[in-house]
Amino acid sequence: MRKTLRMDVRTRIIDWTSEPKPKPTRIPVNLSLPVDLVEALDEVAGPRRRSAFAEEALRRAIKREQLRLAIERTAGSLRAEDYPHWRTSEDVVNWVREMRAEVTSTEGGPG
């Protein structure tokens, strides 16, 4: 009995168009850091996980900074005299309870 030889032919598609390649999703960045910081980074992340650890830390720091800037930009947009029911935490609790206790009309609504 004769054994059959099986061959797989794999083709590679070659794009011969002159369209530019898409931009890489990651950009290498060279950062200079103090030795003690790099040592601490290697201790917690490991030398082969520096980028992933730094990426996560930067995302958290940027999100926190964006929130801080948004708070600064909107600070003072509400005048205290327009919202006396928010003066103290007890006032807020009472206001929320009153709002929840309000009877709303269902006339003309769905259902």
Side-chain angles (χ1 to χ4, degrees), residues 73-97:
R73 283 192 299 267
T74 58
S77 61
L78 299 176
R79 296 181 330 174
E81 57 268 13
D82 294 337
Y83 302 92
H85 46 279
W86 293 348
R87 189 172 297 119
T88 66
S89 59
E90 291 82 17
D91 291 340
V92 172
V93 169
N94 290 332
W95 175 72
V96 169
R97 285 186 178 145

mmCIF file of all heavy atoms in Angstrom, residues 73-97:
data_model
loop_
_atom_site.group_PDB
_atom_site.id
_atom_site.type_symbol
_atom_site.label_atom_id
_atom_site.label_comp_id
_atom_site.label_asym_id
_atom_site.label_seq_id
_atom_site.Cartn_x
_atom_site.Cartn_y
_atom_site.Cartn_z
ATOM 1 N N ARG A 73 -12.450 74.400 35.770
ATOM 2 C CA ARG A 73 -13.166 75.193 34.775
ATOM 3 C C ARG A 73 -14.611 75.459 35.171
ATOM 4 O O ARG A 73 -15.167 76.485 34.825
ATOM 5 C CB ARG A 73 -13.125 74.495 33.413
ATOM 6 C CG ARG A 73 -11.809 74.631 32.694
ATOM 7 C CD ARG A 73 -11.916 74.186 31.239
ATOM 8 N NE ARG A 73 -12.310 72.776 31.133
ATOM 9 C CZ ARG A 73 -11.461 71.767 31.036
ATOM 10 N NH1 ARG A 73 -10.166 71.999 31.027
ATOM 11 N NH2 ARG A 73 -11.893 70.529 30.933
ATOM 12 N N THR A 74 -15.217 74.505 35.874
ATOM 13 C CA THR A 74 -16.639 74.653 36.214
ATOM 14 C C THR A 74 -16.869 75.144 37.637
ATOM 15 O O THR A 74 -18.013 75.389 38.013
ATOM 16 C CB THR A 74 -17.376 73.313 36.011
ATOM 17 O OG1 THR A 74 -16.759 72.309 36.827
ATOM 18 C CG2 THR A 74 -17.350 72.894 34.552
ATOM 19 N N ALA A 75 -15.813 75.308 38.407
ATOM 20 C CA ALA A 75 -15.962 75.776 39.789
ATOM 21 C C ALA A 75 -16.654 77.140 39.794
ATOM 22 O O ALA A 75 -16.312 78.029 39.019
ATOM 23 C CB ALA A 75 -14.601 75.869 40.467
ATOM 24 N N GLY A 76 -17.653 77.276 40.655
ATOM 25 C CA GLY A 76 -18.364 78.541 40.779
ATOM 26 C C GLY A 76 -19.494 78.718 39.780
ATOM 27 O O GLY A 76 -20.102 79.782 39.731
ATOM 28 N N SER A 77 -19.781 77.709 38.979
ATOM 29 C CA SER A 77 -20.849 77.856 37.988
ATOM 30 C C SER A 77 -22.234 77.801 38.632
ATOM 31 O O SER A 77 -23.205 78.257 38.042
ATOM 32 C CB SER A 77 -20.724 76.796 36.894
ATOM 33 O OG SER A 77 -20.821 75.503 37.434
ATOM 34 N N LEU A 78 -22.312 77.248 39.823
ATOM 35 C CA LEU A 78 -23.574 77.243 40.569
ATOM 36 C C LEU A 78 -23.456 78.223 41.729
ATOM 37 O O LEU A 78 -22.515 78.164 42.506
ATOM 38 C CB LEU A 78 -23.878 75.833 41.112
ATOM 39 C CG LEU A 78 -24.043 74.724 40.088
ATOM 40 C CD1 LEU A 78 -24.246 73.397 40.796
ATOM 41 C CD2 LEU A 78 -25.194 75.011 39.161
ATOM 42 N N ARG A 79 -24.428 79.113 41.835
ATOM 43 C CA ARG A 79 -24.402 80.079 42.933
ATOM 44 C C ARG A 79 -25.117 79.481 44.135
ATOM 45 O O ARG A 79 -26.204 78.912 44.012
ATOM 46 C CB ARG A 79 -25.085 81.372 42.513
ATOM 47 C CG ARG A 79 -24.348 82.059 41.386
ATOM 48 C CD ARG A 79 -24.985 83.344 40.964
ATOM 49 N NE ARG A 79 -26.440 83.334 41.170
ATOM 50 C CZ ARG A 79 -27.220 84.372 40.996
ATOM 51 N NH1 ARG A 79 -26.712 85.519 40.613
ATOM 52 N NH2 ARG A 79 -28.515 84.294 41.183
ATOM 53 N N ALA A 80 -24.509 79.602 45.309
ATOM 54 C CA ALA A 80 -25.047 79.014 46.536
ATOM 55 C C ALA A 80 -26.456 79.520 46.838
ATOM 56 O O ALA A 80 -27.321 78.758 47.289
ATOM 57 C CB ALA A 80 -24.120 79.296 47.709
ATOM 58 N N GLU A 81 -26.727 80.799 46.572
ATOM 59 C CA GLU A 81 -28.053 81.350 46.885
ATOM 60 C C GLU A 81 -29.155 80.771 45.994
ATOM 61 O O GLU A 81 -30.322 80.816 46.340
ATOM 62 C CB GLU A 81 -28.051 82.880 46.812
ATOM 63 C CG GLU A 81 -27.612 83.462 45.490
ATOM 64 C CD GLU A 81 -26.123 83.767 45.433
ATOM 65 O OE1 GLU A 81 -25.368 83.326 46.306
ATOM 66 O OE2 GLU A 81 -25.720 84.446 44.481
ATOM 67 N N ASP A 82 -28.779 80.197 44.858
ATOM 68 C CA ASP A 82 -29.773 79.565 43.979
ATOM 69 C C ASP A 82 -30.118 78.145 44.421
ATOM 70 O O ASP A 82 -31.087 77.558 43.926
ATOM 71 C CB ASP A 82 -29.258 79.524 42.540
ATOM 72 C CG ASP A 82 -29.113 80.907 41.932
ATOM 73 O OD1 ASP A 82 -29.798 81.842 42.419
ATOM 74 O OD2 ASP A 82 -28.327 81.056 40.981
ATOM 75 N N TYR A 83 -29.334 77.581 45.335
ATOM 76 C CA TYR A 83 -29.531 76.203 45.765
ATOM 77 C C TYR A 83 -29.452 76.094 47.290
ATOM 78 O O TYR A 83 -28.594 75.398 47.835
ATOM 79 C CB TYR A 83 -28.484 75.286 45.109
ATOM 80 C CG TYR A 83 -28.536 75.363 43.607
ATOM 81 C CD1 TYR A 83 -27.729 76.260 42.908
ATOM 82 C CD2 TYR A 83 -29.420 74.567 42.887
ATOM 83 C CE1 TYR A 83 -27.797 76.356 41.530
ATOM 84 C CE2 TYR A 83 -29.487 74.661 41.507
ATOM 85 C CZ TYR A 83 -28.677 75.561 40.831
ATOM 86 O OH TYR A 83 -28.756 75.663 39.465
ATOM 87 N N PRO A 84 -30.374 76.727 48.014
ATOM 88 C CA PRO A 84 -30.311 76.683 49.476
ATOM 89 C C PRO A 84 -30.535 75.269 50.021
ATOM 90 O O PRO A 84 -30.088 74.953 51.116
ATOM 91 C CB PRO A 84 -31.424 77.635 49.906
ATOM 92 C CG PRO A 84 -32.368 77.674 48.750
ATOM 93 C CD PRO A 84 -31.521 77.490 47.535
ATOM 94 N N HIS A 85 -31.196 74.417 49.244
ATOM 95 C CA HIS A 85 -31.464 73.040 49.691
ATOM 96 C C HIS A 85 -30.201 72.175 49.642
ATOM 97 O O HIS A 85 -30.232 71.020 50.034
ATOM 98 C CB HIS A 85 -32.585 72.416 48.851
ATOM 99 C CG HIS A 85 -32.439 72.642 47.379
ATOM 100 N ND1 HIS A 85 -32.813 73.820 46.778
ATOM 101 C CD2 HIS A 85 -31.927 71.858 46.407
ATOM 102 C CE1 HIS A 85 -32.572 73.744 45.473
ATOM 103 N NE2 HIS A 85 -32.031 72.567 45.228
ATOM 104 N N TRP A 86 -29.086 72.716 49.173
ATOM 105 C CA TRP A 86 -27.820 71.992 49.153
ATOM 106 C C TRP A 86 -26.814 72.566 50.154
ATOM 107 O O TRP A 86 -25.640 72.233 50.130
ATOM 108 C CB TRP A 86 -27.191 72.039 47.760
ATOM 109 C CG TRP A 86 -27.962 71.288 46.710
ATOM 110 C CD1 TRP A 86 -28.983 70.430 46.914
ATOM 111 C CD2 TRP A 86 -27.743 71.351 45.307
ATOM 112 N NE1 TRP A 86 -29.440 69.951 45.717
ATOM 113 C CE2 TRP A 86 -28.693 70.495 44.703
ATOM 114 C CE3 TRP A 86 -26.861 72.029 44.495
ATOM 115 C CZ2 TRP A 86 -28.770 70.311 43.328
ATOM 116 C CZ3 TRP A 86 -26.943 71.841 43.135
ATOM 117 C CH2 TRP A 86 -27.880 70.993 42.554
ATOM 118 N N ARG A 87 -27.264 73.436 51.053
ATOM 119 C CA ARG A 87 -26.369 74.136 51.976
ATOM 120 C C ARG A 87 -25.606 73.180 52.884
ATOM 121 O O ARG A 87 -24.411 73.294 53.069
ATOM 122 C CB ARG A 87 -27.173 75.144 52.807
ATOM 123 C CG ARG A 87 -26.291 76.059 53.643
ATOM 124 C CD ARG A 87 -27.066 77.190 54.315
ATOM 125 N NE ARG A 87 -27.669 78.074 53.307
ATOM 126 C CZ ARG A 87 -28.991 78.272 53.195
ATOM 127 N NH1 ARG A 87 -29.828 77.683 54.011
ATOM 128 N NH2 ARG A 87 -29.456 79.059 52.270
ATOM 129 N N THR A 88 -26.300 72.207 53.466
ATOM 130 C CA THR A 88 -25.658 71.233 54.361
ATOM 131 C C THR A 88 -26.022 69.832 53.888
ATOM 132 O O THR A 88 -26.951 69.658 53.101
ATOM 133 C CB THR A 88 -26.141 71.402 55.820
ATOM 134 O OG1 THR A 88 -27.537 71.064 55.878
ATOM 135 C CG2 THR A 88 -25.918 72.819 56.331
ATOM 136 N N SER A 89 -25.320 68.851 54.412
ATOM 137 C CA SER A 89 -25.626 67.471 54.008
ATOM 138 C C SER A 89 -27.028 67.070 54.459
ATOM 139 O O SER A 89 -27.725 66.334 53.765
ATOM 140 C CB SER A 89 -24.577 66.501 54.554
ATOM 141 O OG SER A 89 -24.513 66.568 55.955
ATOM 142 N N GLU A 90 -27.452 67.596 55.615
ATOM 143 C CA GLU A 90 -28.812 67.295 56.089
ATOM 144 C C GLU A 90 -29.848 67.901 55.137
ATOM 145 O O GLU A 90 -30.871 67.282 54.840
ATOM 146 C CB GLU A 90 -29.032 67.828 57.504
ATOM 147 C CG GLU A 90 -28.238 67.114 58.580
ATOM 148 C CD GLU A 90 -26.802 67.624 58.697
ATOM 149 O OE1 GLU A 90 -26.489 68.725 58.182
ATOM 150 O OE2 GLU A 90 -25.979 66.908 59.278
ATOM 151 N N ASP A 91 -29.579 69.125 54.659
ATOM 152 C CA ASP A 91 -30.489 69.765 53.698
ATOM 153 C C ASP A 91 -30.583 68.941 52.414
ATOM 154 O O ASP A 91 -31.662 68.793 51.835
ATOM 155 C CB ASP A 91 -30.019 71.182 53.364
ATOM 156 C CG ASP A 91 -30.168 72.149 54.529
ATOM 157 O OD1 ASP A 91 -30.960 71.848 55.451
ATOM 158 O OD2 ASP A 91 -29.497 73.199 54.508
ATOM 159 N N VAL A 92 -29.466 68.402 51.972
ATOM 160 C CA VAL A 92 -29.455 67.588 50.752
ATOM 161 C C VAL A 92 -30.272 66.326 50.955
ATOM 162 O O VAL A 92 -31.087 65.952 50.105
ATOM 163 C CB VAL A 92 -28.012 67.239 50.324
ATOM 164 C CG1 VAL A 92 -28.011 66.232 49.188
ATOM 165 C CG2 VAL A 92 -27.250 68.491 49.942
ATOM 166 N N VAL A 93 -30.099 65.671 52.104
ATOM 167 C CA VAL A 93 -30.855 64.447 52.400
ATOM 168 C C VAL A 93 -32.350 64.755 52.396
ATOM 169 O O VAL A 93 -33.153 64.023 51.804
ATOM 170 C CB VAL A 93 -30.408 63.831 53.750
ATOM 171 C CG1 VAL A 93 -31.355 62.729 54.193
ATOM 172 C CG2 VAL A 93 -28.987 63.300 53.641
ATOM 173 N N ASN A 94 -32.745 65.840 53.049
ATOM 174 C CA ASN A 94 -34.163 66.220 53.081
ATOM 175 C C ASN A 94 -34.685 66.526 51.685
ATOM 176 O O ASN A 94 -35.794 66.132 51.325
ATOM 177 C CB ASN A 94 -34.373 67.424 54.006
ATOM 178 C CG ASN A 94 -34.171 67.059 55.457
ATOM 179 O OD1 ASN A 94 -34.380 65.911 55.864
ATOM 180 N ND2 ASN A 94 -33.747 68.023 56.256
ATOM 181 N N TRP A 95 -33.893 67.232 50.891
ATOM 182 C CA TRP A 95 -34.296 67.572 49.530
ATOM 183 C C TRP A 95 -34.499 66.314 48.683
ATOM 184 O O TRP A 95 -35.486 66.187 47.963
ATOM 185 C CB TRP A 95 -33.241 68.482 48.895
ATOM 186 C CG TRP A 95 -33.494 68.808 47.461
ATOM 187 C CD1 TRP A 95 -34.453 69.634 46.959
ATOM 188 C CD2 TRP A 95 -32.784 68.286 46.340
ATOM 189 N NE1 TRP A 95 -34.374 69.681 45.595
ATOM 190 C CE2 TRP A 95 -33.357 68.860 45.184
ATOM 191 C CE3 TRP A 95 -31.715 67.416 46.191
ATOM 192 C CZ2 TRP A 95 -32.894 68.568 43.904
ATOM 193 C CZ3 TRP A 95 -31.258 67.135 44.925
ATOM 194 C CH2 TRP A 95 -31.848 67.714 43.794
ATOM 195 N N VAL A 96 -33.575 65.358 48.799
ATOM 196 C CA VAL A 96 -33.702 64.107 48.048
ATOM 197 C C VAL A 96 -34.955 63.358 48.482
ATOM 198 O O VAL A 96 -35.715 62.855 47.641
ATOM 199 C CB VAL A 96 -32.441 63.222 48.221
ATOM 200 C CG1 VAL A 96 -32.665 61.816 47.677
ATOM 201 C CG2 VAL A 96 -31.241 63.874 47.559
ATOM 202 N N ARG A 97 -35.206 63.293 49.775
ATOM 203 C CA ARG A 97 -36.408 62.599 50.266
ATOM 204 C C ARG A 97 -37.674 63.265 49.747
ATOM 205 O O ARG A 97 -38.625 62.596 49.348
ATOM 206 C CB ARG A 97 -36.396 62.566 51.796
ATOM 207 C CG ARG A 97 -35.405 61.564 52.340
ATOM 208 C CD ARG A 97 -35.503 61.422 53.840
ATOM 209 N NE ARG A 97 -34.548 60.415 54.276
ATOM 210 C CZ ARG A 97 -33.877 60.460 55.407
ATOM 211 N NH1 ARG A 97 -34.082 61.448 56.263
ATOM 212 N NH2 ARG A 97 -33.027 59.510 55.720
#
